[in-house]
Tab-separated table of all heavy atoms in Angstrom:
chain	number	residue	atom	x	y	z
A	180	TRP	N	95.042	122.661	111.078
A	180	TRP	CA	95.453	122.537	109.679
A	180	TRP	C	96.385	121.348	109.451
A	180	TRP	O	96.807	121.080	108.331
A	180	TRP	CB	96.157	123.819	109.223
A	180	TRP	CG	95.202	124.954	108.949
A	180	TRP	CD1	93.969	125.130	109.474
A	180	TRP	CD2	95.434	126.056	108.079
A	180	TRP	NE1	93.387	126.270	109.005
A	180	TRP	CE2	94.285	126.876	108.128
A	180	TRP	CE3	96.483	126.468	107.280
A	180	TRP	CZ2	94.158	128.056	107.405
A	180	TRP	CZ3	96.370	127.635	106.548
A	180	TRP	CH2	95.208	128.422	106.610
A	181	THR	N	96.733	120.636	110.508
A	181	THR	CA	97.618	119.484	110.366
A	181	THR	C	97.026	118.467	109.385
A	181	THR	O	95.824	118.162	109.439
A	181	THR	CB	97.827	118.798	111.726
A	181	THR	OG1	98.386	119.747	112.636
A	181	THR	CG2	98.758	117.593	111.594
A	182	ILE	N	97.879	117.959	108.517
A	182	ILE	CA	97.411	117.028	107.483
A	182	ILE	C	97.307	115.622	108.073
A	182	ILE	O	98.271	115.096	108.643
A	182	ILE	CB	98.374	117.033	106.275
A	182	ILE	CG1	98.480	118.441	105.687
A	182	ILE	CG2	97.925	116.045	105.211
A	182	ILE	CD1	99.486	118.563	104.567
A	183	GLU	N	96.138	115.021	107.916
A	183	GLU	CA	95.894	113.686	108.452
A	183	GLU	C	96.608	112.633	107.593
A	183	GLU	O	96.903	112.871	106.420
A	183	GLU	CB	94.386	113.402	108.465
A	183	GLU	CG	93.589	114.345	109.345
A	183	GLU	CD	93.996	114.236	110.810
A	183	GLU	OE1	94.336	113.104	111.237
A	183	GLU	OE2	93.994	115.276	111.510
A	184	PRO	N	96.884	111.451	108.152
A	184	PRO	CA	97.586	110.381	107.407
A	184	PRO	C	96.902	110.004	106.095
A	184	PRO	O	97.567	109.579	105.151
A	184	PRO	CB	97.580	109.206	108.397
A	184	PRO	CG	97.549	109.868	109.740
A	184	PRO	CD	96.691	111.096	109.572
A	185	SER	N	95.579	110.161	106.032
A	185	SER	CA	94.869	109.791	104.798
A	185	SER	C	95.227	110.708	103.635
A	185	SER	O	94.941	110.395	102.477
A	185	SER	CB	93.356	109.824	105.029
A	185	SER	OG	92.933	111.135	105.400
A	186	HIS	N	95.842	111.857	103.942
A	186	HIS	CA	96.239	112.792	102.892
A	186	HIS	C	97.745	112.779	102.655
A	186	HIS	O	98.292	113.693	102.040
A	186	HIS	CB	95.795	114.211	103.255
A	186	HIS	CG	94.316	114.337	103.479
A	186	HIS	ND1	93.398	114.077	102.501
A	186	HIS	CD2	93.600	114.670	104.593
A	186	HIS	CE1	92.178	114.268	102.970
A	186	HIS	NE2	92.269	114.617	104.249
A	187	LEU	N	98.396	111.741	103.197
A	187	LEU	CA	99.832	111.564	103.005
A	187	LEU	C	100.084	110.288	102.217
A	187	LEU	O	99.191	109.445	102.041
A	187	LEU	CB	100.543	111.470	104.370
A	187	LEU	CG	100.353	112.644	105.343
A	187	LEU	CD1	100.992	112.308	106.684
A	187	LEU	CD2	100.943	113.924	104.766
A	188	VAL	N	101.303	110.146	101.690
A	188	VAL	CA	101.696	108.909	101.018
A	188	VAL	C	101.589	107.753	102.010
A	188	VAL	O	101.896	107.911	103.200
A	188	VAL	CB	103.148	109.035	100.493
A	188	VAL	CG1	103.657	107.693	99.984
A	188	VAL	CG2	103.224	110.084	99.392
A	189	GLN	N	101.138	106.608	101.527
A	189	GLN	CA	100.934	105.456	102.419
A	189	GLN	C	101.660	104.231	101.857
A	189	GLN	O	101.083	103.386	101.175
A	189	GLN	CB	99.443	105.171	102.589
A	189	GLN	CG	98.697	106.306	103.282
A	189	GLN	CD	97.209	106.037	103.424
A	189	GLN	OE1	96.656	105.169	102.750
A	189	GLN	NE2	96.556	106.772	104.306
A	190	VAL	N	102.951	104.149	102.149
A	190	VAL	CA	103.766	103.013	101.723
A	190	VAL	C	103.661	101.914	102.771
A	190	VAL	O	103.791	102.190	103.974
A	190	VAL	CB	105.249	103.435	101.554
A	190	VAL	CG1	106.111	102.236	101.186
A	190	VAL	CG2	105.369	104.522	100.506
A	191	PRO	N	103.424	100.670	102.358
A	191	PRO	CA	103.412	99.572	103.335
A	191	PRO	C	104.747	99.513	104.084
A	191	PRO	O	105.816	99.581	103.474
A	191	PRO	CB	103.214	98.321	102.465
A	191	PRO	CG	102.553	98.837	101.221
A	191	PRO	CD	103.113	100.206	100.998
A	192	VAL	N	104.686	99.412	105.406
A	192	VAL	CA	105.893	99.432	106.245
A	192	VAL	C	106.205	98.021	106.717
A	192	VAL	O	105.357	97.344	107.316
A	192	VAL	CB	105.717	100.376	107.455
A	192	VAL	CG1	106.968	100.353	108.331
A	192	VAL	CG2	105.411	101.794	106.979
A	193	ALA	N	107.448	97.590	106.429
A	193	ALA	CA	107.897	96.273	106.886
A	193	ALA	C	108.861	96.450	108.054
A	193	ALA	O	109.704	97.339	108.044
A	193	ALA	CB	108.579	95.534	105.748
A	194	LYS	N	108.752	95.584	109.064
A	194	LYS	CA	109.614	95.692	110.242
A	194	LYS	C	111.057	95.298	109.918
A	194	LYS	O	111.999	95.804	110.515
A	194	LYS	CB	109.076	94.823	111.368
A	194	LYS	CG	107.702	95.250	111.874
A	194	LYS	CD	107.210	94.324	112.969
A	194	LYS	CE	105.830	94.747	113.467
A	194	LYS	NZ	105.321	93.832	114.528
A	195	ASP	N	111.204	94.340	108.984
A	195	ASP	CA	112.540	93.878	108.619
A	195	ASP	C	112.502	93.337	107.193
A	195	ASP	O	111.459	93.342	106.535
A	195	ASP	CB	113.035	92.809	109.588
A	195	ASP	CG	112.007	91.692	109.796
A	195	ASP	OD1	111.306	91.346	108.807
A	195	ASP	OD2	111.902	91.175	110.917
A	196	ILE	N	113.659	92.843	106.731
A	196	ILE	CA	113.758	92.322	105.365
A	196	ILE	C	112.820	91.145	105.168
A	196	ILE	O	112.178	91.014	104.108
A	196	ILE	CB	115.211	91.895	105.049
A	196	ILE	CG1	116.117	93.127	104.978
A	196	ILE	CG2	115.274	91.139	103.720
A	196	ILE	CD1	115.816	94.040	103.829
A	197	GLN	N	112.702	90.316	106.177
A	197	GLN	CA	111.827	89.149	106.065
A	197	GLN	C	110.385	89.591	105.837
A	197	GLN	O	109.678	89.036	104.992
A	197	GLN	CB	111.933	88.295	107.340
A	197	GLN	CG	111.308	86.908	107.228
A	197	GLN	CD	112.075	86.009	106.270
A	197	GLN	OE1	113.281	86.163	106.100
A	197	GLN	NE2	111.382	85.078	105.653
A	198	ALA	N	109.970	90.605	106.581
A	198	ALA	CA	108.607	91.117	106.409
A	198	ALA	C	108.450	91.779	105.044
A	198	ALA	O	107.393	91.682	104.403
A	198	ALA	CB	108.294	92.105	107.523
A	199	PHE	N	109.519	92.444	104.595
A	199	PHE	CA	109.478	93.090	103.281
A	199	PHE	C	109.275	92.048	102.177
A	199	PHE	O	108.434	92.210	101.294
A	199	PHE	CB	110.779	93.866	103.052
A	199	PHE	CG	110.873	94.489	101.683
A	199	PHE	CD1	110.251	95.697	101.413
A	199	PHE	CD2	111.581	93.872	100.667
A	199	PHE	CE1	110.333	96.270	100.148
A	199	PHE	CE2	111.665	94.434	99.406
A	199	PHE	CZ	111.040	95.640	99.150
A	200	LEU	N	110.059	90.958	102.275
A	200	LEU	CA	109.910	89.899	101.268
A	200	LEU	C	108.541	89.242	101.359
A	200	LEU	O	108.034	88.704	100.372
A	200	LEU	CB	111.014	88.851	101.458
A	200	LEU	CG	112.452	89.343	101.197
A	200	LEU	CD1	113.461	88.239	101.511
A	200	LEU	CD2	112.596	89.798	99.744
A	201	GLY	N	107.938	89.311	102.538
A	201	GLY	CA	106.609	88.738	102.704
A	201	GLY	C	105.533	89.484	101.944
A	201	GLY	O	104.450	88.956	101.705
A	202	PHE	N	105.829	90.747	101.577
A	202	PHE	CA	104.866	91.514	100.776
A	202	PHE	C	104.742	90.948	99.351
A	202	PHE	O	103.758	91.192	98.661
A	202	PHE	CB	105.290	92.982	100.683
A	202	PHE	CG	105.067	93.750	101.955
A	202	PHE	CD1	105.989	94.707	102.368
A	202	PHE	CD2	103.953	93.533	102.749
A	202	PHE	CE1	105.796	95.434	103.527
A	202	PHE	CE2	103.748	94.245	103.919
A	202	PHE	CZ	104.673	95.199	104.314
A	203	MET	N	105.766	90.234	98.913
A	203	MET	CA	105.752	89.703	97.549
A	203	MET	C	104.781	88.540	97.430
A	203	MET	O	104.627	87.742	98.352
A	203	MET	CB	107.151	89.234	97.145
A	203	MET	CG	108.172	90.346	96.990
A	203	MET	SD	109.751	89.702	96.381
A	203	MET	CE	110.712	91.210	96.302
A	204	GLN	N	104.150	88.437	96.297
A	204	GLN	CA	103.270	87.314	96.003
A	204	GLN	C	103.737	86.672	94.708
A	204	GLN	O	104.353	87.328	93.858
A	204	GLN	CB	101.814	87.780	95.879
A	204	GLN	CG	101.279	88.408	97.166
A	204	GLN	CD	99.791	88.685	97.088
A	204	GLN	OE1	99.017	87.821	96.701
A	204	GLN	NE2	99.390	89.890	97.500
A	205	PHE	N	103.421	85.401	94.537
A	205	PHE	CA	103.945	84.653	93.397
A	205	PHE	C	102.805	84.010	92.620
A	205	PHE	O	101.733	83.726	93.176
A	205	PHE	CB	104.939	83.598	93.882
A	205	PHE	CG	106.062	84.193	94.691
A	205	PHE	CD1	106.012	84.178	96.092
A	205	PHE	CD2	107.138	84.802	94.069
A	205	PHE	CE1	107.028	84.746	96.842
A	205	PHE	CE2	108.157	85.371	94.820
A	205	PHE	CZ	108.107	85.348	96.196
A	206	PRO	N	103.008	83.786	91.330
A	206	PRO	CA	101.916	83.240	90.513
A	206	PRO	C	101.565	81.806	90.897
A	206	PRO	O	102.416	81.054	91.392
A	206	PRO	CB	102.492	83.307	89.091
A	206	PRO	CG	103.970	83.297	89.268
A	206	PRO	CD	104.227	84.026	90.551
A	207	ASP	N	100.352	81.479	90.677
A	207	ASP	CA	99.864	80.118	90.919
A	207	ASP	C	100.290	79.258	89.732
A	207	ASP	O	99.726	79.354	88.640
A	207	ASP	CB	98.345	80.136	91.067
A	207	ASP	CG	97.775	78.763	91.402
A	207	ASP	OD1	98.541	77.786	91.376
A	207	ASP	OD2	96.565	78.681	91.670
A	208	ALA	N	101.321	78.422	89.933
A	208	ALA	CA	101.882	77.632	88.829
A	208	ALA	C	100.843	76.713	88.199
A	208	ALA	O	100.907	76.413	86.996
A	208	ALA	CB	103.077	76.819	89.333
A	209	ALA	N	99.860	76.300	88.975
A	209	ALA	CA	98.843	75.384	88.447
A	209	ALA	C	97.951	76.054	87.412
A	209	ALA	O	97.268	75.377	86.640
A	209	ALA	CB	98.000	74.843	89.598
A	210	GLN	N	97.969	77.382	87.387
A	210	GLN	CA	97.078	78.109	86.486
A	210	GLN	C	97.663	78.320	85.077
A	210	GLN	O	96.960	78.759	84.181
A	210	GLN	CB	96.757	79.488	87.088
A	210	GLN	CG	95.954	79.429	88.370
A	210	GLN	CD	94.541	78.946	88.122
A	210	GLN	OE1	93.950	79.202	87.079
A	210	GLN	NE2	93.987	78.219	89.086
A	211	PHE	N	98.943	77.998	84.892
A	211	PHE	CA	99.562	78.277	83.594
A	211	PHE	C	98.919	77.494	82.447
A	211	PHE	O	98.972	77.901	81.290
A	211	PHE	CB	101.065	77.998	83.642
A	211	PHE	CG	101.854	79.122	84.267
A	211	PHE	CD1	102.426	78.963	85.523
A	211	PHE	CD2	101.996	80.332	83.613
A	211	PHE	CE1	103.142	79.991	86.116
A	211	PHE	CE2	102.714	81.367	84.204
A	211	PHE	CZ	103.289	81.205	85.452
A	212	GLY	N	98.316	76.382	82.744
A	212	GLY	CA	97.658	75.596	81.702
A	212	GLY	C	96.203	75.965	81.493
A	212	GLY	O	95.526	75.395	80.625
A	213	ASN	N	95.703	76.914	82.254
A	213	ASN	CA	94.303	77.319	82.172
A	213	ASN	C	94.081	78.195	80.928
A	213	ASN	O	94.748	79.222	80.757
A	213	ASN	CB	93.944	78.093	83.441
A	213	ASN	CG	92.469	78.465	83.501
A	213	ASN	OD1	91.733	78.322	82.529
A	213	ASN	ND2	92.039	78.947	84.659
A	214	PRO	N	93.147	77.797	80.024
A	214	PRO	CA	92.901	78.616	78.825
A	214	PRO	C	92.506	80.053	79.159
A	214	PRO	O	92.805	80.977	78.388
A	214	PRO	CB	91.743	77.877	78.132
A	214	PRO	CG	91.838	76.473	78.620
A	214	PRO	CD	92.330	76.572	80.032
A	215	ALA	N	91.871	80.258	80.303
A	215	ALA	CA	91.468	81.611	80.699
A	215	ALA	C	92.691	82.496	80.940
A	215	ALA	O	92.659	83.709	80.711
A	215	ALA	CB	90.596	81.565	81.949
A	216	ILE	N	93.783	81.869	81.414
A	216	ILE	CA	95.022	82.614	81.641
A	216	ILE	C	95.569	83.129	80.311
A	216	ILE	O	96.001	84.283	80.196
A	216	ILE	CB	96.070	81.726	82.342
A	216	ILE	CG1	95.597	81.355	83.750
A	216	ILE	CG2	97.427	82.425	82.396
A	216	ILE	CD1	95.463	82.529	84.677
A	217	LEU	N	95.564	82.265	79.293
A	217	LEU	CA	96.065	82.669	77.971
A	217	LEU	C	95.218	83.797	77.391
A	217	LEU	O	95.748	84.769	76.835
A	217	LEU	CB	96.067	81.468	77.022
A	217	LEU	CG	96.564	81.761	75.600
A	217	LEU	CD1	97.995	82.278	75.618
A	217	LEU	CD2	96.449	80.512	74.728
C-alpha cells in the first residue's frame, strides 16, 4: 500500500542556492519588438 513517488508532490529539488537560481528563466529581450508578442 506504500504510495509511489508519482502519487506524491514533486517539487524540483536544487542542491544549493546557485542551482535554485538556475531554475529561473528570463525573457528573450530580442522578442519585445515582435508583433506576435504584442
Side-chain angles (χ1 to χ4, degrees):
W180 284 25
T181 301
I182 301 175
E183 298 298 325
S185 61
H186 302 298
L187 303 174
V188 171
Q189 296 179 343
V190 177
V192 179
K194 297 179 180 179
D195 50 36
I196 292 293
Q197 193 68 29
F199 176 82
L200 295 176
F202 286 142
M203 292 185 180
Q204 299 188 49
F205 304 98
D207 183 353
Q210 294 291 327
F211 280 109
N213 185 350
I216 295 296
L217 180 60

